[in-house]
Amino acid sequence: MSSPGSGNRIVQWIEYRLPIFSWLDHSVGSGYPAPKNLNYLWNMGSLAGAALVIQIVTGIVLAMHYVPHGDMAFDSVEHIMRDVNYGWLIRYIHANGASMFFLVVYIHVFRGLYYGSYKYPRELLWWIGLAIMLLMMATAFMGYVLPWGQMSFWAATVITNLFSAIPLIGDPIVTWLWGGFAVDSPTLQRFFSLHYLLPFVIAGVVIVHIWALHTHGSNNPAGIDVKGPQDTIPFNPYYTVKDLLGLGVFLIVFAYWVFYNPNYLGHPDNYIPANPLQTPPHIVPEWYLLPYYAILRAIPDKLGGVVAMGAAIGVLFLIPWLDTSRVRSATFRPIYRQFYWILIADILVLGWVGANPPEGHFILIGQLATAYYFLHFIVIMPFVGWFETPRQLPDSIATSVLDKGGGVDSAKEGAQ
Amino acid sequence: MTGRCPTIFVRPVLAVVAACLALLAAGPLMAAGDGRAPKSPGFSFQGPFGTYDRAELQRGFQVYQEVCATCHALKYFAFRNLRSIGFDEMQAKAIAAQYEVTDGPDEEGEMFERPAVLADYMPAPFANDNAARAANNGSLPPDLSLIVKARAGGEDYVFSLLTGYEDPPADVELGEGMSYNPYYDGSQIAMPPPLVEDGVEYADGTKASVERMARDVTTFLTWAAEPEMEARKRMGIKVMTFLVLLTVLLYMVKRKVWRDVH
Ligand code: HEM
């Protein structure tokens, strides 16, 4: 690739005064070397960025027609669905976009967990990512309240009530959050304000995330450091075209939900206007929050449940130390790799329990799955790291690629 | 490289498909009502190419108008929407004119009644929820504009409910004014069986069996809940076709660009 902007006088004029072209080149251009062995799981970051942009663009259009008031919010969403030109399209993209956003971000996070992307020197990068995930949860939760249906209202009630578990000052805090003595229009209005704000905060934190990423570059499926130019390829054109291909696949999946199954991921009760006098039989959050919800309810004590739910994410902040192995990629960790998949199964079980009423055998299953979740991070992770004998690491990314016949595939490594 | 690329491409697609299947599987787990699982009679508007049958829509509107409207409001349905379900302008105006709506204030400051026009919305049968409850043994007949989206099982549920009334089993004691309907959560519903054989006389001469009326009114209520459905599916086909072609092209570009990487 030629140096940025060479030849074009206008580009040179700008570049001399504001070196934006060389900056772009070093960020996503030919001047940014990336490991040559990244697999398709490394597409999720750019897809998450695309999902954020889609949410912001559709959200701003929705906000032009939406009315954040308890008496009008539900009607205004129906007005968007029925009277605003292509309003249904915008709203269905936004509502399903939240699910698509979480889908790619969760794959992104579990990719990092598998390949040890949280280890030296990427600990801060990992934490910033977790901060983004927390901000997304807050944003999506408050967005879900905006249509002011039954689930909106009761989810808001249940979640804000959690703060009452805080000793002594819990109740005043809840009243303060609500802006009154119950979830009502003032609550809706502040949630709208914050729902508009937080995505831009996320965008800011994403910039810091990428800054940290570009400091040491991407991890890779082999989990070994880049040793020289033979291990890398320029981001552009290789990963730009690969990311675009991933975007194509992502948009196909996205479009399926929007055009053919737009309400599937939502809850039917949210098409019933909010009614403070009638509690729905089962209050459930959106699918992406179900595992945390299961952990919350697994502890019979309210404060304990809240602490456990917080700890479920808190423990992810600690894994740079909890993982004692010096090998990053689970590909070369025969024992840890099996526990990894058990953890995934455990989290799916938690999601299933979270979707069901806390009665009968669901209580016990939920408690066992919660216990195992923490056991994995607090006990299994450090001990496996100490006692496991990792497989022989490849000498370099270049040789690891050559060994496998010149591909970018990592899953084959298991078969060696 | 050549022989390998498709496999590389297939795996992430499989992963995404698997993730979506997992999400699909999560739905029924969540929609756990306590009523009997609804019947699936099959509707013309289901499936990726499904469209509403205009004759069904118009008959369904008639059923709503002559039967359900005594108790249920349909507040998001405007008379102009009659055009979209296949009535011509004259017919739509004539139907609207059968209803009186309150307007005003006039120059003297008085509210007045006038025949409805296309811009008006369907008037509700009761002045408020309390009046509706008082007339229905204390139970509130819900607004039907979104009912198909507001119930797990959607159109199948509404159809099953309307055709699902039975004599109560011997061990069930019905409450005052209640009817037995196993599709309803709790099986005791405050709505008396609304449909009876030949309950309406269809304008197009179709025989008004309970099943026919249930099907027609369910189709109409689905339209009321999802008036955009046909436009949505039509657009979906175009968007999907475009995206698939684009992705195939990107795939070929990607292969070409990556050919020399080892
Ligand atoms: C991180 C990005 C975002 C996420 C994850 C998100 C998520 C959500 C969710 C889950 C809903 C409920 C959808 C429904 O069930 O109807 C929602 C609604 C809404 N969002 Fe967002 N959102 C994001 C960004 C934004 C932005 C930037 C804006 C505006 C500037 C916005 C404006 C709205 C409005 C007006 C609604 C209510 C209309 C509706 O419910 O469809 N959102 N959002």
Side-chain angles (χ1 to χ4, degrees), chain A residues 303-335:
Chain A
L303 180 59
V306 175
V307 170
M309 187 169 67
I313 296 183
V315 75
L316 296 177
F317 280 88
L318 301 180
I319 61 173
W321 297 291
L322 290 172
D323 184 351
T324 52
S325 172
R326 52 177 185 83
V327 173
R328 286 201 194 101
S329 172
T331 309
F332 303 103
R333 302 185 55 192
I335 314 284

Side-chain angles (χ1 to χ4, degrees), chain A residues 51-52 55-63 66 77 80 91 94-95 97-98 101-102 136 139-147 192 195-196 198-200 202 270 286 288:
Chain A
L52 178 62
Q55 288 308 93
I56 290 180
V57 171
T58 51
I60 289 174
V61 179
L62 284 174
Y66 171 79
V77 171
I80 292 171
R91 172 167 184 249
H94 195 78
F101 196 2
F102 274 96
M136 278 174 63
T139 308
F141 160 67
M142 287 190 270
Y144 194 55
V145 174
L146 301 186
F192 177 57
H195 184 72
Y196 207 135
L198 287 187
F200 296 93
I202 294 178
N270 232 19
E286 298 255 87
Y288 39 80

Side-chain angles (χ1 to χ4, degrees), chain B residues 72-105:
Chain B
H72 292 281
L74 194 69
K75 68 170 174 176
Y76 296 120
F77 189 85
F79 290 107
R80 62 186 152 82
N81 296 145
L82 290 166
R83 300 290 313 280
S84 314
I85 64 171
F87 290 103
D88 65 31
E89 180 144 358
M90 296 299 286
Q91 291 170 313
K93 282 185 170 155
I95 294 171
Q98 298 167 6
Y99 292 83
E100 292 275 295
V101 293
T102 310
D103 200 350

Side-chain angles (χ1 to χ4, degrees), chain B residues 234-254:
Chain B
R234 263 199 317 271
M235 186 189 287
I237 300 198
K238 290 185 205 148
V239 171
M240 284 289 198
T241 313
F242 169 78
L243 286 176
V244 168
L245 289 178
L246 177 74
T247 306
V248 168
L249 284 179
L250 285 169
Y251 171 60
M252 295 188 317
V253 176
K254 193 258 168 192

Side-chain angles (χ1 to χ4, degrees), chain A residues 30-242:
Chain A
S30 51
Y32 177 55
K36 55 163 57 169
N37 61 340
L38 302 184
N39 62 31
Y40 274 96
L41 289 171
W42 267 260
N43 279 54
M44 298 302 147
S46 72
L47 292 182
L52 178 62
V53 171
I54 292 173
Q55 288 308 93
I56 290 180
V57 171
T58 51
I60 289 174
V61 179
L62 284 174
M64 294 174 188
H65 304 277
Y66 171 79
V67 184
H69 188 285
D71 297 337
M72 290 174 271
F74 191 93
D75 284 349
S76 76
V77 171
E78 278 311 308
H79 162 70
I80 292 171
M81 293 297 288
R82 289 157 195 268
D83 304 330
V84 174
N85 288 333
Y86 297 106
W88 58 266
L89 178 62
I90 303 288
R91 172 167 184 249
Y92 279 157
I93 292 177
H94 195 78
N96 288 286
S99 283
M100 290 298 103
F101 196 2
F102 274 96
L103 183 69
V104 294
V105 164
Y106 281 162
I107 299 176
H108 187 70
V109 172
F110 284 110
R111 180 281 320 257
L113 196 63
Y114 187 85
Y115 294 109
S117 303
Y118 46 85
K119 291 192 199 188
Y120 172 87
R122 296 186 183 81
E123 300 91 330
L124 263 177
L125 175 59
W126 174 255
W127 292 336
I128 296 164
L130 290 176
I132 294 173
M133 201 174 86
L134 287 171
L135 285 167
M136 278 174 63
M137 287 174 187
T139 308
F141 160 67
M142 287 190 270
Y144 194 55
V145 174
L146 301 186
W148 212 235
Q150 272 290 69
M151 269 309 148
S152 298
F153 182 89
W154 289 98
T157 304
V158 169
I159 301 301
T160 48
N161 252 316
L162 294 178
F163 289 87
S164 71
I166 302 172
L168 298 175
I169 50 165
D171 286 330
I173 288 190
V174 173
T175 311
W176 177 73
L177 287 175
W178 285 342
F181 296 101
V183 173
D184 204 344
S185 212
T187 329
L188 175 60
Q189 271 158 279
R190 63 191 56 192
F191 278 21
F192 177 57
S193 175
L194 293 173
H195 184 72
Y196 207 135
L197 170 70
L198 287 187
F200 296 93
V201 177
I202 294 178
V205 182
V206 165
I207 291 173
V208 184
H209 189 68
I210 294 173
W211 183 10
L213 169 71
H214 285 189
T215 307
H216 290 282
S218 297
N219 183 28
N220 63 84
I224 54 180
D225 290 332
V226 167
K227 300 223 170 68
Q230 72 284 2
D231 288 344
T232 65
I233 45 179
F235 191 88
N236 188 42
Y238 294 102
Y239 288 111
T240 28
V241 70
K242 196 175 173 183

Side-chain angles (χ1 to χ4, degrees), chain B:
Chain B
M1 199 70 201
T2 336
R4 297 172 36 78
C5 248
T7 18
I8 297 171
F9 187 53
V10 158
R11 199 173 291 113
V13 174
L14 281 181
V16 174
V17 170
C20 284
L21 286 179
L23 288 183
L24 277 169
L29 292 176
M30 297 186 50
D34 293 332
R36 188 189 285 175
K39 304 175 252 194
S40 314
F43 290 95
S44 66
F45 53 81
Q46 290 170 330
F49 303 99
T51 52
Y52 295 111
D53 177 327
R54 301 290 128 168
E56 268 182 17
L57 283 177
Q58 294 178 18
R59 288 197 303 265
F61 172 71
Q62 192 186 343
V63 175
Y64 167 75
Q65 199 184 17
E66 292 178 18
V67 184
C68 324
T70 357
C71 303
H72 292 281
L74 194 69
K75 68 170 174 176
Y76 296 120
F77 189 85
F79 290 107
R80 62 186 152 82
N81 296 145
L82 290 166
R83 300 290 313 280
S84 314
I85 64 171
F87 290 103
D88 65 31
E89 180 144 358
M90 296 299 286
Q91 291 170 313
K93 282 185 170 155
I95 294 171
Q98 298 167 6
Y99 292 83
E100 292 275 295
V101 293
T102 310
D103 200 350
D106 62 14
E107 276 148 27
E108 273 81 52
E110 305 293 331
M111 303 302 280
F112 59 93
E113 298 283 312
R114 60 160 174 80
V117 295
L118 292 187
D120 289 312
Y121 282 81
M122 179 67 79
F126 298 103
N128 52 55
D129 284 359
N130 287 359
R133 280 210 167 82
N136 284 285
N137 251 323
S139 295
L140 181 68
D143 186 286
L144 291 184
S145 347
L146 281 166
I147 200 80
V148 171
K149 286 209 258 184
R151 292 291 180 278
E155 62 272 15
D156 287 346
Y157 168 74
V158 173
F159 176 86
S160 304
L161 185 79
L162 294 175
T163 54
Y165 284 88
E166 289 174 5
D167 291 330
D171 58 333
V172 170
E173 179 121 13
L174 283 184
E176 167 81 26
M178 300 298 253
S179 308
Y180 187 78
N181 192 322
Y183 294 97
Y184 187 67
D185 200 352
S187 297
Q188 296 207 24
I189 184 163
M191 167 166 73
L195 298 174
V196 291
E197 215 58 25
D198 293 317
V200 300
E201 197 177 315
Y202 275 134
D204 66 1
T206 307
K207 162 115 184 68
S209 66
V210 169
E211 152 114 28
R212 182 77 256 162
M213 288 184 285
R215 192 177 260 286
D216 293 344
V217 77
T218 304
T219 303
F220 171 69
L221 292 177
T222 310
W223 189 91
E226 301 198 279
E228 88 298 343
M229 182 200 278
E230 289 172 335
R232 164 158 61 75
K233 289 176 178 172
R234 263 199 317 271
M235 186 189 287
I237 300 198
K238 290 185 205 148
V239 171
M240 284 289 198
T241 313
F242 169 78
L243 286 176
V244 168
L245 289 178
L246 177 74
T247 306
V248 168
L249 284 179
L250 285 169
Y251 171 60
M252 295 188 317
V253 176
K254 193 258 168 192
R255 269 187 65 166
K256 188 160 193 287
V257 169
W258 277 73
R259 193 162 17 229
D260 57 345
V261 177
H262 287 288

